[in-house]
Amino acid sequence: MQTTTGLLGELTPEQRERVRSLGYEVRFDAGERIFEEGARADRFWILHTGSATLAMHIPGHRDVAIDHVRHGELLGWSWMFQPYVWSLAAQADSPVRALEFDALSVRVLCEEDKALGLAMTRTVAAVMGDRLQRCRAKLVDLFGPYAPHDRAAGPI
């Protein structure tokens, strides 16, 4: 499986291969929960096929679908930063094939190779910033002053 876009695309070929060597293929069925908000974030994925929805629990409402992750994209960033707890939940929208990585192994590799660690941190931080902006926009759309009060957030 070739994964050169997104997270691994920012690495040198040697760094990319070192990280890829830590990954293994996994599959998720459509509708399967991949991780739960508030649970320990001890792994992450790069999607090869399929897509997943990221959702946030809003007290008093159903979970709110915040974003979608697709081919070549990183699924999960909470593994990189303490306290290593998922800030959202994820569920497969369709059958998913992905490379799964053990977070601790990748963090150790990043400590050993500072240039790789810096590249990974920058890339993950860019994903975080992008997802946080989309999350903000979605929440303002759903709950802002001009949002219809009867609008259902929709389950994931």
Side-chain angles (χ1 to χ4, degrees):
M1 173 185 319
Q2 182 99 22
T3 304
T4 57
T5 59
L7 180 69
L8 300 184
E10 298 300 315
L11 305 177
T12 67
E14 179 183 301
Q15 291 170 334
R16 187 179 309 123
E17 194 51 43
R18 289 179 69 200
V19 173
R20 284 188 71 227
S21 72
L22 298 175
Y24 54 94
E25 277 200 57
V26 296
R27 295 175 188 272
F28 299 100
D29 293 328
E32 185 175 348
R33 282 290 241 209
I34 300 170
F35 56 84
E36 296 289 340
E37 184 176 346
R40 192 178 79 180
D42 59 357
R43 64 199 69 235
F44 66 96
W45 301 264
I46 298 174
L47 272 54
H48 183 61
T49 63
S51 65
T53 295
L54 296 170
M56 173 184 278
H57 177 72
I58 307 292
H61 299 274
R62 292 182 286 181
D63 287 355
V64 176
I66 298 297
D67 204 357
H68 298 276
V69 179
R70 293 173 179 80
H71 167 77
E73 294 181 332
L74 172 67
L75 176 59
W77 52 259
S78 299
W79 61 273
M80 187 168 233
F81 303 101
Q82 290 185 8
Y84 310 123
V85 173
W86 295 120
S87 60
L88 300 171
Q91 180 173 309
D93 295 327
S94 60
V96 169
R97 284 184 38 233
L99 276 179
E100 181 174 292
F101 297 88
D102 174 72
L104 180 58
S105 298
V106 174
R107 288 194 308 264
V108 166
L109 182 61
C110 289
E111 276 299 312
E112 293 171 353
D113 181 340
K114 299 297 187 193
L116 185 150
L118 180 60
M120 291 281 286
T121 301
R122 285 181 173 160
T123 303
V124 171
V127 169
M128 289 172 59
D130 186 50
R131 291 206 180 129
L132 288 171
Q133 287 300 320
R134 286 198 300 265
C135 176
R136 179 183 175 278
K138 180 73 171 187
L139 292 175
V140 166
D141 181 49
L142 290 171
F143 303 109
Y146 301 106
H149 294 297
D150 61 347
R151 181 184 292 185
I156 65 167

